Amino acid sequence: MTGKAQQEVALKWVLNLRSGTSCENRVDEGPIPVMGAAGRIGWTVRPNTTAGSVIIGRVGTVGAVNLAQSECWASDNTIVATPGPSLHPLYMYYLLLSARLPELASKTAQPLLTATAIGNHHSRLPDLAEQRRIADFLDSETSRIDQLTYLYGRRSKLTIERSQKVLDEAIGQCKEFVPLRYIVRFREGPGIMAADFHPDGVPLIRIAGLKRGEVTLSGCNFLDPGKVARQWSHFRLRMGDRLISGSATMGGVSMVRDPAVVGAVPYTGLIILRPAQANIEMEYVEAFLRSSLFSRQIDLLKTGATMQHFGPTHLSQVTAPLPSLDQQRHTSATAREALDHAERFDDLTARQVGLLHERRQALITAAVTGQFDVSTASGRNVTDNLPEPEGVTP
């Protein structure tokens, strides 16, 4: 603990709060960034906010806190905080990070954070000398945590790239190409209007239902069973069907494994894939659709299109290698091993980065609230029991 406790004060007495404003003079590239609470969202030619101000999410990314490193334009979705004479600018940033601002937002369908709510929040206020010590301490310790987070992310990216290379090399072993339509049949889900939605009935699969390689009912709507029987029965999903989204990340193939999904109808933009002949291993098709060979062809076919998505018309123009059934199975096993390794490492990275974020926040809160004396403390223990990313083989 620090020495004697300081009296808590309302933030409105020590900092200035104002709303950001809409930027009408945007440019493609310019000297001044237009900032939201989550970062840069564009460029303009003149600033409305000075360096060292804190930009806070008012709507959208409610309660997010961003330090303006240079002059910028704070958008109308933000609140701008600047320090008064009794508040060190960098300490203000950490103070606002510790204030749990999202909890001060209105509890409505569209959460809103107001300057009044922030201004009425009370916080401990040490003298300027201690504020500087706390800010310097947190700057040093959070920078170390941020560097470790960056290294985890970089290592994860390298692992994904390595797995992609292994998959691409496996797909590239076969040099005999045929049109993809000779390998799989594809059918896009029907164009269903919101007026057709029902509170229950036949599930309508949305893109949110494609999760980690499996088709789920997450985020689904429902359709009248009678209308499905009359108009859309040929779109109903079967066990083992694959779905791919024409607008989401390339290569994201999901399989129908859950009996609850059987009989559901995919929404427009989702494409059903089924084997076009008997000697097709669908797991091999999944590997091809995740390959760079597929993504390069689709990217060329989409060039010049106003909407960056693909559909059956594009897929019908794609060619794919078609090896023997045994070679398809061998390629599938190689691709599965590479992708499983990347997914396991990505899961590990996500857990460790989540722990780092939690401990970073805990360190900031503890320092700002005076739970320890920063002149003698070290924040190094915030990363205890976390393996260094360099020690994990990609």
Side-chain angles (χ1 to χ4, degrees):
M1 291 288 291
T2 57
K4 63 179 183 179
Q6 289 83 14
Q7 183 176 1
E8 291 192 346
V9 298
L11 295 184
K12 62 186 174 184
W13 301 121
V14 295
L15 55 77
N16 304 303
L17 296 163
R18 65 171 176 84
S19 295
T21 52
S22 178
C23 183
E24 298 179 356
N25 297 315
R26 294 211 185 190
V27 293
D28 291 338
E29 243 182 87
I32 303 298
V34 179
M35 299 292 291
R40 181 176 61 79
I41 57 176
W43 297 98
T44 189
V45 294
R46 63 183 180 86
N48 70 353
T49 299
T50 58
S53 301
V54 172
I55 299 171
I56 303 165
R58 185 176 64 86
V59 294
T61 51
V62 174
V65 175
N66 195 350
L67 180 65
Q69 301 288 350
S70 63
E71 287 187 325
C72 65
W73 187 286
S75 77
D76 55 345
N77 288 333
T78 67
I79 296 168
V80 179
T82 54
S86 62
L87 196 58
H88 186 275
L90 188 55
Y91 179 80
M92 176 185 68
Y93 167 65
Y94 288 116
L95 184 155
L96 289 167
L97 278 175
S98 72
R100 302 186 181 278
L101 296 182
E103 298 177 6
L104 304 180
S106 61
K107 305 300 188 289
T108 59
Q110 178 70 28
L112 174 68
L113 181 63
T114 66
T116 300
I118 298 171
N120 287 335
H121 179 76
H122 283 67
S123 181
R124 163 186 175 270
L125 189 69
D127 60 43
L128 280 169
E130 186 179 349
Q131 290 180 38
R132 280 191 292 271
R133 284 196 296 272
I134 293 171
D136 290 344
F137 168 83
L138 289 175
D139 224 27
S140 172
E141 296 300 335
T142 59
S143 292
R144 195 178 65 82
I145 295 173
D146 292 343
Q147 176 65 12
L148 189 55
T149 300
Y150 165 78
L151 290 173
Y152 271 115
R154 184 171 177 273
R155 195 70 169 175
S156 183
K157 182 180 178 182
L158 290 173
T159 303
I160 292 170
E161 289 174 354
R162 178 182 178 277
S163 296
Q164 185 67 51
K165 183 179 179 181
V166 171
L167 185 154
D168 288 343
E169 288 175 349
I171 291 292
Q173 292 298 311
C174 178
K175 305 301 180 183
E176 297 178 10
F177 284 70
V178 300
L180 182 60
R181 64 180 182 275
Y182 292 179
I183 300 175
V184 287
R185 297 190 179 94
F186 24 82
R187 169 177 284 160
E188 186 172 7
I192 293 172
M193 307 298 288
D196 291 314
F197 296 169
H198 277 242
D200 52 33
V202 176
L204 175 67
I205 303 298
R206 309 294 294 263
I207 191 171
L210 308 189
K211 292 184 177 294
R212 297 178 72 89
E214 185 168 352
V215 183
T216 73
L217 298 181
S218 178
C220 73
N221 296 106
F222 296 94
L223 304 170
D224 173 59
K227 193 165 187 177
V228 170
R230 292 191 304 272
Q231 297 185 17
W232 302 311
S233 60
H234 51 298
F235 293 100
R236 301 189 77 160
L237 294 174
R238 308 169 189 168
M239 186 67 77
D241 277 349
R242 269 69 171 182
L243 281 183
I244 187 169
S245 168
S247 58
T249 303
M250 250 357 121
V253 185
S254 298
M255 181 178 177
V256 176
R257 294 187 177 92
D258 185 352
V261 174
V262 173
V265 174
Y267 204 28
T268 186
L270 301 182
I271 302 166
I272 308 169
L273 304 175
R274 290 171 181 157
Q277 48 183 297
N279 64 334
I280 298 301
E281 175 66 50
M282 285 302 292
E283 194 172 355
Y284 169 78
V285 176
E286 291 184 36
F288 169 70
L289 292 173
R290 289 188 170 95
S291 72
S292 299
L293 177 59
F294 170 72
S295 62
R296 283 196 299 268
Q297 292 185 71
I298 281 295
D299 286 343
L300 286 172
L301 290 167
K302 292 190 305 179
T303 300
T306 55
M307 303 225 14
Q308 288 298 297
H309 67 264
F310 63 87
T313 301
H314 301 95
L315 292 175
S316 67
Q317 300 175 67
V318 170
T319 60
L322 182 58
S324 67
L325 187 57
D326 284 344
Q327 186 58 39
Q328 289 179 49
R329 289 168 177 161
H330 177 73
T331 300
S332 300
T334 301
R336 180 169 61 251
E337 182 179 356
L339 293 169
D340 285 350
H341 176 75
E343 188 172 287
R344 287 194 302 272
F345 192 86
D346 192 52
D347 287 343
L348 171 65
T349 297
R351 287 196 298 272
Q352 304 302 349
V353 168
L355 286 172
L356 284 171
H357 286 164
E358 289 177 8
R359 297 182 184 190
R360 184 183 194 274
Q361 182 62 44
L363 179 64
I364 291 170
T365 300
V368 169
T369 56
Q371 295 178 35
F372 58 82
D373 185 350
V374 299
S375 62
T376 58
S378 169
R380 295 293 170 106
N381 62 338
V382 299
T383 54
D384 283 354
N385 303 319
L386 290 178
E388 294 290 331
E390 292 85 357
V392 184
T393 303

